[in-house]
């Protein structure tokens, strides 16, 4: 056990604001009287701030992506041609709008772009049974999906390999193969819920509204951790 | 309080990140108009300010700084936006900003999430290079402020103890990378 094991919880409780006033005062006094601890905390705090920066930047990037989608939508709607036509045939446009509002085309690709993010690699290094498996998941983390596909196809048909093979297919745009691999993840697997969600995303990008809605309804009624997302996506559709 | 605002607020408290998109789309038009007319910002600047305001709102809710809304969510969001806009304009020398103006809202954004030091940028880059699961675990814990059991459920880990051990391993790895980049004296 090193110093970090010993102090991690204490530092976290201070930085995350989980200490009482008395505990905070005692902690600060302890830092003032212990140079080594102070130095260790200083490093810990700087890393914590870097992580917070990464979190806020990542979230801002998601909003930037949304902004791009919103702008591309509004540009399409404000082309001069549209307005000329709209002015000339106002009655038709109004009628068209009424029809459009009923059978409004869904921006499947826009929604997919916003929602899709490769599932993180959560295969714990200690769970990886061999060096080659370690390499596969390292390649996955680096986004080398074609390598992942080549290697995982050689592996046993575990739920994990089906799931990550499906992820790699999805990331490389091989949608039908992704649906098939994700469909092979058994219901008892810890990847069952995310597999269903990613299968829904695959149907989304394939613009197969019927199957998409079926999978989303299943996720919604399952009451699992993706059910709210599924419900909201159904509303959007 | 407007119904949608209080609903968004409750969803943020539960860590529902998708509420941010609803907030973004609900208040975007009005915020842009307000920012462009009140601060002479162009559309890109207004978008930048709005995005940072929404992130700051989320962070304040998640870290427990904002537990109750004394006014509407919109008022709160626009007050954060005003602070960020004034800071940016002051920095860009577009406007002579009286510091007292900033102090009015100082309780709203007590730390600037986007004023990065070079060192913080480097650490954020190192974390990005580490990739997942470390990136997700560390940001979900320190930025999104999720408890270990919630992270376990989100990322499909067996239980909170597995996440806790993994988080410590990830932190140690990041620390090692940081110390390889900087001398202890430079930190």
């Amino acid at each position: 056990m090193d110093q970090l094991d010993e102090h991690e919880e204490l530092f976290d409780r201070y930085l995350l604001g989980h200490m009482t006033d008395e505990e905070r005062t005692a902690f600060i006094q302890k830092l003032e009287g212990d140079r080594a601890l102070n130095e260790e905390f200083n490093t810990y705090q700087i890393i914590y701030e870097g992580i917070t920066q990464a979190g806020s930047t990542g979230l801002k990037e998601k909003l930037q992506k949304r902004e791009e989608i919103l702008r591309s939508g509004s540009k399409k709607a404000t082309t001069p041609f549209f307005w000329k036509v709209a002015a000339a045939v106002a009655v038709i446009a109004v009628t068209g709008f009424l029809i459009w509002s009923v059978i409004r085309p869904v921006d499947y690709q826009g929604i997919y772009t916003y929602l899709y993010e490769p599932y993180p690699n959560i295969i714990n290094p200690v769970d990886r049974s061999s060096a080659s498996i370690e390499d596969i998941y390292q390649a996955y983390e680096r986004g080398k999906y074609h390598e992942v596909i080549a290697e995982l196809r050689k592996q046993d048909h575990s739920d994990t390999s089906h799931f990550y093979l499906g992820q790699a297919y999805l990331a490389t745009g091989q949608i039908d193969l992704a649906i098939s691999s994700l469909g092979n993840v058994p219901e008892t697997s810890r990847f069952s819920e995310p597999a269903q969600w990613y299968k829904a995303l695959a149907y989304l990008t394939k613009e197969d509204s019927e199957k998409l809605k079926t999978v989303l309804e299943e996720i919604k009624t399952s009451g699992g951790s993706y059910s709210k997302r599924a419900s909201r996506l159904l509303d959007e559709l | 309080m407007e119904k949608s605002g209080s609903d968004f607020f409750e969803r943020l408290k539960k860590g529902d990140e998708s509420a941010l998109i609803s907030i973004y789309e609900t208040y975007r038009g009005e915020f842009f108009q307000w920012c462009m007319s009140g601060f002479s910002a162009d559309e890109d600047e207004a978008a930048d300010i709005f995005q940072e305001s929404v992130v700051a709102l989320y962070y304040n809710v998640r870290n427990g700084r904002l537990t109750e809304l004394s006014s509407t969510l919109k008022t709160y969001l626009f007050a954060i936006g005003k602070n960020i806009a004034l800071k940016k304009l002051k920095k860009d020398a577009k406007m002579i900003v009286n510091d007292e103006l900033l102090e009015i809202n100082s309780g709203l954004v007590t730390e600037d999430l986007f004023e990065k030091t070079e060192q913080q940028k480097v650490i954020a880059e190192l974390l990005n290079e580490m990739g997942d699961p470390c990136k997700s675990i560390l940001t979900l814990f320190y930025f999104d402020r999720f408890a270990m059991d919630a992270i376990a459920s989100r990322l499909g880990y067996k239980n909170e103890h597995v996440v806790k051990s993994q988080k410590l391993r990830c932190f140690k790895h990041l620390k090692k990378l940081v110390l390889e980049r900087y001398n202890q004296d430079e930190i």
Side-chain angles (χ1 to χ4, degrees):
Chain A
M1 183 186 278
D2 70 13
Q3 293 274 302
L4 194 54
D5 295 279
E6 201 182 316
H7 298 132
E8 180 208 17
E9 204 173 327
L10 184 71
F11 291 170
D12 281 348
R13 291 190 65 237
Y14 177 81
L15 290 169
L16 301 178
H18 295 165
M19 284 183 173
T20 62
D21 289 346
E22 291 76 25
E23 283 174 323
R24 282 180 77 84
T25 308
F27 177 70
I28 291 164
Q29 279 172 356
K30 200 173 170 186
L31 285 182
E32 284 168 354
D34 186 337
R35 200 175 158 188
L37 183 71
N38 200 335
E39 201 170 85
E40 193 194 344
F41 175 69
N42 188 32
T43 307
Y44 199 93
Q45 187 170 19
I46 285 166
I47 295 171
Y48 156 78
E49 284 163 1
I51 296 168
T52 307
Q53 284 297 335
S56 56
T57 306
L59 198 50
K60 187 179 174 187
E61 282 167 2
K62 283 186 186 172
L63 296 177
Q64 285 169 334
K65 219 157 116 181
R66 193 61 177 179
E67 178 65 30
E68 278 170 26
I69 292 169
L70 291 170
R71 284 194 194 185
S72 66
S74 82
K75 270 179 196 155
K76 274 180 206 161
T78 55
T79 53
F81 175 73
F82 174 86
W83 287 112
K84 279 177 194 166
V85 173
V89 287
V91 176
I92 297 169
V94 169
T95 311
F97 175 76
L98 289 173
I99 294 166
W100 175 84
S101 62
V102 176
I103 52 160
R104 173 171 58 100
V106 176
D107 179 12
Y108 288 95
Q109 298 315 322
I111 300 172
Y112 178 78
T113 307
Y114 174 70
L115 289 176
Y116 173 70
E117 249 184 87
Y119 192 81
N121 168 32
I122 61 161
I123 306 304
N124 196 315
V126 295
D127 292 342
R128 298 173 192 169
S129 52
S130 71
S132 69
I133 292 186
E134 170 101 33
D135 292 342
I136 295 169
Y137 289 99
Q138 278 184 359
Y140 182 87
E141 283 172 16
R142 292 193 199 104
K144 294 181 176 173
Y145 299 114
H146 290 289
E147 279 180 32
V148 173
I149 291 168
E151 289 303 318
L152 279 182
R153 286 176 65 179
K154 296 182 210 160
Q155 295 291 325
D156 61 340
H157 301 299
S158 68
D159 61 333
T160 307
S161 55
H162 282 309
F163 179 72
Y164 280 100
L165 184 56
Q167 288 295 325
Y169 279 135
L170 194 55
T172 51
Q174 302 179 74
I175 308 305
D176 288 329
L177 289 169
I179 292 168
S180 165
S181 292
L182 292 167
N184 286 332
V185 176
E187 278 181 28
T188 49
S189 165
R190 63 173 166 156
F191 294 112
S192 167
E193 281 187 17
Q196 279 288 86
W197 173 249
Y198 280 91
K199 205 160 81 177
L201 292 185
Y203 286 127
L204 178 69
T205 192
K206 219 180 154 199
E207 305 193 5
D208 186 336
S209 65
E210 203 176 311
K211 286 184 180 159
L212 169 61
K213 283 178 185 166
T214 307
V215 178
L216 287 175
E217 286 292 351
E218 283 169 16
I219 300 171
K220 186 182 164 183
T221 50
S222 72
S225 53
Y226 287 85
S227 62
K228 279 187 185 166
R229 276 184 240 188
S231 172
R232 277 194 296 276
L233 182 51
L234 275 168
D235 291 344
E236 197 147 340
L237 297 171
Chain B
M1 190 190 298
E2 93 270 55
K3 193 184 174 302
S4 58
S6 67
D7 175 50
F8 293 151
F9 182 64
E10 291 307 315
R11 281 167 61 193
L12 288 184
K13 281 211 283 194
K14 288 176 192 159
D16 178 356
E17 213 183 80
S18 73
L20 283 180
I21 297 302
S22 308
I23 290 170
Y24 194 86
E25 293 184 355
T26 302
Y27 302 111
R28 175 181 175 267
E30 208 177 329
F31 189 98
F32 276 30
Q33 207 172 24
W34 171 76
C35 199
M36 286 158 84
S37 61
F39 300 98
S40 308
D42 62 26
E43 193 182 10
D44 288 342
E45 286 168 334
D48 193 51
I49 292 164
F50 187 48
Q51 284 150 9
E52 292 191 7
S53 306
V54 173
V55 174
L57 169 73
Y58 174 75
Y59 189 61
N60 282 348
V61 173
R62 294 300 303 155
N63 69 19
R65 194 168 290 147
L66 180 64
T67 52
E68 297 287 331
L69 284 176
S70 54
S71 57
T72 65
L73 186 78
K74 183 179 144 188
T75 306
Y76 189 85
L77 180 63
F78 278 52
I80 293 176
K82 181 180 173 187
N83 232 7
I84 293 176
L86 289 172
K87 275 188 187 174
K88 278 187 186 287
L89 292 170
K90 187 180 178 187
K91 203 171 158 189
D92 299 344
K94 267 197 171 183
M95 189 188 267
I96 298 166
V97 177
N98 184 340
D99 282 340
E100 282 176 18
L101 271 177
L102 293 173
E103 283 167 18
I104 294 169
N105 292 322
S106 61
L108 296 170
V109 188
T110 52
E111 56 194 285
D112 195 326
L113 282 166
F114 294 96
E115 259 181 30
K116 304 179 188 95
T117 63
E118 200 50 45
Q119 208 169 41
Q120 285 168 347
K121 275 189 207 168
V122 169
I123 294 169
E125 278 166 22
L126 289 171
L127 181 61
N128 284 331
E129 283 167 21
M130 279 171 75
D132 283 320
C134 288
K135 189 183 165 192
S136 292
I137 292 175
L138 292 175
T139 52
L140 283 171
F141 185 74
Y142 289 108
F143 176 72
D144 299 275
R145 304 292 179 99
F146 283 109
M148 290 295 180
D149 55 350
I151 298 174
S153 142
R154 278 185 165 236
L155 298 182
Y157 281 93
K158 199 173 164 190
N159 57 46
E160 62 193 272
H161 305 295
V162 180
V163 182
K164 196 173 181 328
S165 317
Q166 181 68 32
K167 180 235 158 197
L168 181 60
R169 274 198 294 274
C170 290
F171 198 101
K172 280 181 178 175
H173 187 199
L174 181 58
K175 184 181 172 186
K176 185 172 163 276
L177 295 175
V178 171
L179 292 177
E180 279 169 5
R181 186 70 67 96
Y182 297 102
N183 295 323
Q184 184 73 54
D185 301 345
E186 292 176 288
I187 291 180

